[in-house]
Amino acid sequence: MKILILSETYPPNNPGGVGKVAKFISEGLALSGFRVDVVCFDSKQNTIEKHGNLRIFRIKENEAESGFPVTDARKDKIIQLLDTLHSSMEYDIIHDIGGYQFANVIEEFVNGVNIHCISHLLMLMKPYVEARGIKGELVDYFYEFQKKQCKKSDAIIVTSTSDKEKFRTLYPDIRKPLCLIYNCIEIPYLLNINKVNEWRKKLLGESQLVLFFVGRINDPVKGADRIAQFVKNLNDSHIDAKLVGTNLLGVDSNSVFGVPFLDLGRLNEDEFYNMLAAVDFVLCPSRYEAFGMLPAEAESLGVKVIASNIGGLRETVGNIHGSLQLNNSGWKNTSQSTINHINSFVGKWDDNRKITIPEIFSCETIINKIINLYEKIDVDFDSKYIPK
């Protein structure tokens, strides 16, 4: 069985959600005995990496080639590489991770070729762009672009019940197998308690609580504008809370938050998870989330999460004591019960941190669901293949 995975990004150069999904699927399938190729974009250079059954092809691109709609230059690079790969390896399955970036590419590549396409909708594009304030013809363009890819696919994967329902509403005429498969939570580093305590001392300072903001500061979907009043409400209630995060894009955080913000800069993965284990609450005020990778990771570290009661966050947040879900008005008009709840954890942080991943988010569970999906769309398994 030969599998091709197309992903906008791939760790470690870009640790975002799309890349993490591509990583755990490609590695999990490769460890299960499949031969897997990944094609992704890398801003530094063209590289080829080989790890057992897994090959990763990183395509260098200029800034002018990135973004959406997919440029002709990017499309030509992908088609050229795929033609080269397919001439030496006939793929049985293509996974498009993201569900829209490669629609035109796949349409050209698979015409007349017996390849099963599976589209992973990590964001349902129409509500996603509308949440960003994009209106008019561009919304319809996104909508039709993604619809085109879904029609080409043999199956569609969504990562939350709400997105499954939303898909049926947005695309009522597409009757392909629609599978709910949660994303894998995979934290590949053991926590270093000494480093966790160092981070705790550094972050807390003279404050009572440390709050970590999830997301890009300049992205309205991530809800950074909701934070200022929320933190102010806590401070007005005599809870001295410090807001921290990673402002990777160099945005003027004061103009966004309106409250002091400690920028932690870019951290490597092991530093990041040790830092995350040192905070009291992770804040996720998003207006739309298909899954919510980082909040789920935080809970796996024993860190409480306060998240919007929307999308995939309804299913991924709330697995540990102390986490909360707020409706849209709950961020601005913070209720007394919410304030009392947060206040009850002042001075209660301890370094008893361990990684506990719910079975529904384990790599083994997700890979088994994907293999079951292959069977559902009648993929012919190699007789030598034995699932592990």
Side-chain angles (χ1 to χ4, degrees):
M1 177 76 72
K2 305 173 189 69
I3 298 170
L4 174 65
I5 293 177
L6 302 175
S7 176
E8 175 73 5
T9 61
Y10 199 89
N13 296 330
N14 190 317
V18 174
K20 284 185 175 181
V21 172
K23 184 175 185 291
F24 82 72
I25 289 177
S26 61
E27 291 180 348
L29 290 172
L31 288 171
S32 296
F34 297 103
R35 294 179 64 185
V36 182
D37 284 351
V38 176
V39 173
C40 60
F41 289 97
D42 190 300
S43 60
K44 297 179 181 179
Q45 58 187 345
N46 293 321
T47 61
I48 302 174
E49 302 166 26
K50 296 182 180 181
H51 310 279
N53 288 337
L54 173 63
R55 297 190 301 179
I56 304 166
F57 297 83
R58 299 182 188 270
I59 302 176
K60 179 182 178 180
E61 65 174 345
N62 299 319
E63 189 172 336
E65 298 172 3
S66 63
F68 189 91
V70 177
T71 63
D72 288 339
R74 167 183 277 197
K75 179 180 170 184
D76 290 343
K77 282 185 177 181
I78 304 170
I79 289 290
Q80 185 177 3
L81 176 58
L82 294 188
D83 283 342
T84 302
L85 291 175
H86 196 61
S87 64
S88 60
M89 178 185 287
E90 293 190 357
Y91 296 106
D92 302 291
I93 296 172
I94 289 181
H95 284 269
D96 171 19
I97 312 256
Y100 67 96
Q101 284 285 356
F102 297 99
N104 284 343
V105 173
I106 290 178
E107 185 176 38
E108 285 193 25
F109 181 59
V110 304
N111 276 343
V113 181
N114 185 26
I115 301 178
H116 293 276
C117 295
I118 298 175
S119 188
H120 298 246
L121 301 188
L122 302 183
M123 56 193 77
L124 280 176
M125 187 48 64
K126 191 171 184 180
Y128 190 71
V129 297
E130 286 176 337
R132 278 193 158 88
I134 300 173
K135 300 177 181 178
E137 292 182 1
L138 191 55
V139 174
D140 294 329
Y141 182 81
F142 279 113
Y143 172 75
E144 291 301 323
F145 201 83
Q146 181 167 265
K147 183 177 181 180
K148 180 177 169 183
Q149 168 63 342
C150 291
K151 282 189 171 182
K152 192 70 181 176
S153 297
D154 295 282
I156 296 115
I157 291 176
V158 291
T159 55
S160 69
T161 302
S162 65
D163 271 8
K164 189 173 183 178
E165 295 167 351
K166 198 176 294 178
F167 181 90
R168 292 302 189 204
T169 301
L170 282 174
Y171 308 108
D173 57 328
I174 299 178
R175 309 306 299 176
K176 305 290 179 69
L178 183 61
C179 300
L180 170 58
I181 296 177
Y182 292 120
N183 288 338
C184 169
I185 303 303
E186 188 177 44
I187 300 174
Y189 301 95
L190 294 175
L191 293 178
N192 183 319
I193 298 305
N194 289 331
K195 288 187 177 180
V196 172
N197 280 303
E198 287 174 10
W199 272 109
R200 180 66 181 176
K201 185 177 180 180
K202 176 181 177 180
L203 296 176
L204 188 65
E206 300 299 320
S207 303
Q208 294 176 301
L209 291 173
V210 180
L211 311 175
F212 180 87
F213 168 72
V214 174
R216 296 173 294 275
I217 291 177
N218 65 336
D219 186 346
V221 174
K222 300 301 181 183
D225 56 298
R226 294 174 160 181
I227 291 293
Q229 189 60 49
F230 181 78
V231 175
K232 185 176 184 300
N233 292 341
L234 296 183
N235 292 338
D236 289 346
S237 300
H238 308 291
I239 300 175
D240 184 5
K242 179 182 288 185
L243 183 64
V244 305
T246 52
N247 181 12
L248 301 182
L249 299 178
V251 179
D252 180 5
S253 58
N254 287 329
S255 66
V256 176
F257 292 120
V259 294
F261 174 78
L262 176 61
D263 178 15
L264 304 177
R266 185 178 293 276
L267 305 175
N268 62 37
E269 280 191 315
D270 59 340
E271 282 183 308
F272 179 82
Y273 290 119
N274 284 310
M275 176 280 299
L276 195 63
V279 310
D280 293 282
F281 287 93
V282 163
L283 305 182
C284 186
S286 299
R287 292 180 168 86
Y288 172 76
E289 287 287 351
F291 180 74
M293 182 75 81
L294 201 148
E297 288 179 333
E299 286 199 345
S300 296
L301 295 173
V303 178
K304 297 172 286 295
V305 176
I306 301 175
S308 300
N309 183 24
I310 50 92
L313 295 174
R314 293 179 181 141
E315 297 167 65
T316 56
V317 171
N319 291 299
I320 67 169
H321 171 68
S323 289
L324 282 178
Q325 294 189 7
L326 302 180
N327 58 28
N328 289 337
S329 62
W331 293 101
K332 182 177 181 180
N333 304 312
T334 315
S335 69
Q336 190 60 49
S337 63
T338 297
I339 291 172
N340 291 343
H341 177 83
I342 295 170
N343 191 45
S344 70
F345 290 97
V346 170
K348 300 291 179 65
W349 185 90
D350 62 58
D351 62 4
N352 183 25
R353 291 285 189 258
K354 59 181 180 179
I355 300 172
T356 306
I357 298 175
E359 186 177 348
I360 59 170
F361 302 144
S362 72
C363 188
E364 181 180 3
T365 298
I366 278 80
I367 294 301
N368 284 336
K369 284 190 173 183
I370 290 175
I371 292 172
N372 289 337
L373 177 59
Y374 294 166
E375 295 171 346
K376 185 180 291 187
I377 59 176
D378 296 326
V379 174
D380 292 327
F381 287 95
D382 189 308
S383 58
K384 297 179 182 178
Y385 166 73
I386 302 175
K388 296 181 182 179

